[in-house]
Amino acid sequence: MPEDASAAVGRPPLTWLYVPGDRPEVVAKALGSGADVVIVDLEDAVAPERKEYARSATAELLADPVTASPDAVPVHVRVHGEDDIRALTGLPGLSGLRLPKITHAVSVHHVAAVAPGVPLYPLLESALAMEHAYSIATADPAVRGIALGEADLRADLGVREDRGLDWSRSRLVVAARAAALPPPAQSVFPDVRDLDGLWTSCGRGRALGMLGRAAIHPRQLEVIERAFRPTAEEIEAAEEIVAASAVEAGALALPDGRFVDAAVVASARRTLAIAGRS
């Protein structure tokens, strides 16, 4: 199972690119797109009559030694059901399973038993799932992250405006943090032509504590990367804080009057990790 390439150099992943599992040629292009993680979709992106082919094509991809090499782009699979899980578990190129429509921790327990050793990423897509966010996040040590499925959640809640999902996004951020998981990534932005809208939306997600974003087209990757990477000013400030903390332990004041304590230092270290400078 290949290690997450971006994590290997000290920077958490910022971009996850969804591609349909029944189009191997598109998957191949995605692997060279620059995305930190490629998510092969066997669920919503694949028509019912194509699901068996998609599973077979994905299994072939994950069995390829090139996909399984240590420096390969990590490949996650959003599964459609237990048949997918059983068919893909154990293949060397599988870096994680995305589990759609999870509502209870018991569902995660079941998948963890069927797919031992595989990192799991539950997707919360309903009001019931949001009520159980923390129990899902802590259901099993195999859970490495949680995310929203915003299209289904929007329909379930009857939300008409994007800001109507902000409470759910914040709830997810809190649950992930309480469970000692990485900050959740934003859900996909559906209009692949509206890059300005994507940029604005990423800024809103970042303000809520989310980190990175799933994409449905390679043209979205650069915008997402830029939106979530720290600015030069943020990096400079973080480096100053970390350097000062190395000289003097405990709370201290910087020359410009800013007060620095352990929480501020931890935040600065996270900034440098995202920038790839830790």
Side-chain angles (χ1 to χ4, degrees), residues 70-95:
D71 57 348
V73 177
V75 177
H76 292 188
V77 179
R78 182 165 73 167
V79 294
H80 178 62
E82 189 165 324
D83 287 346
D84 292 341
I85 296 169
R86 292 188 181 279
L88 304 178
T89 295
L91 295 177
L94 180 65
S95 293

Side-chain angles (χ1 to χ4, degrees), residues 34 203 240 271:
E240 183 181 4
T271 296

Side-chain angles (χ1 to χ4, degrees), residues 120-167:
L120 304 179
Y121 297 83
L123 302 178
L124 286 64
E125 307 183 60
S126 66
L128 184 58
M130 296 313 305
E131 288 299 300
H132 295 156
Y134 178 71
S135 65
I136 291 170
T138 56
D140 191 274
V143 175
R144 304 294 175 81
I146 54 176
L148 292 181
E150 290 194 356
D152 283 3
L153 181 59
R154 188 187 305 272
D156 190 41
L157 298 177
V159 169
R160 296 189 177 185
E161 296 186 4
D162 183 72
R163 63 183 178 181
L165 291 180
D166 281 354
W167 182 90

Side-chain angles (χ1 to χ4, degrees), residues 241-253 259-262 265 269:
I241 290 168
V242 171
S245 71
V247 174
E248 183 177 345
L252 65 145
F259 179 78
V260 174
D261 61 9
V265 174
R269 293 189 188 280

Side-chain angles (χ1 to χ4, degrees), residues 20-39:
D22 63 339
R23 298 185 63 189
E25 73 285 358
V26 177
V27 176
K29 290 180 180 179
L31 291 171
S33 67
D36 292 326
V37 180
V38 168
I39 304 174

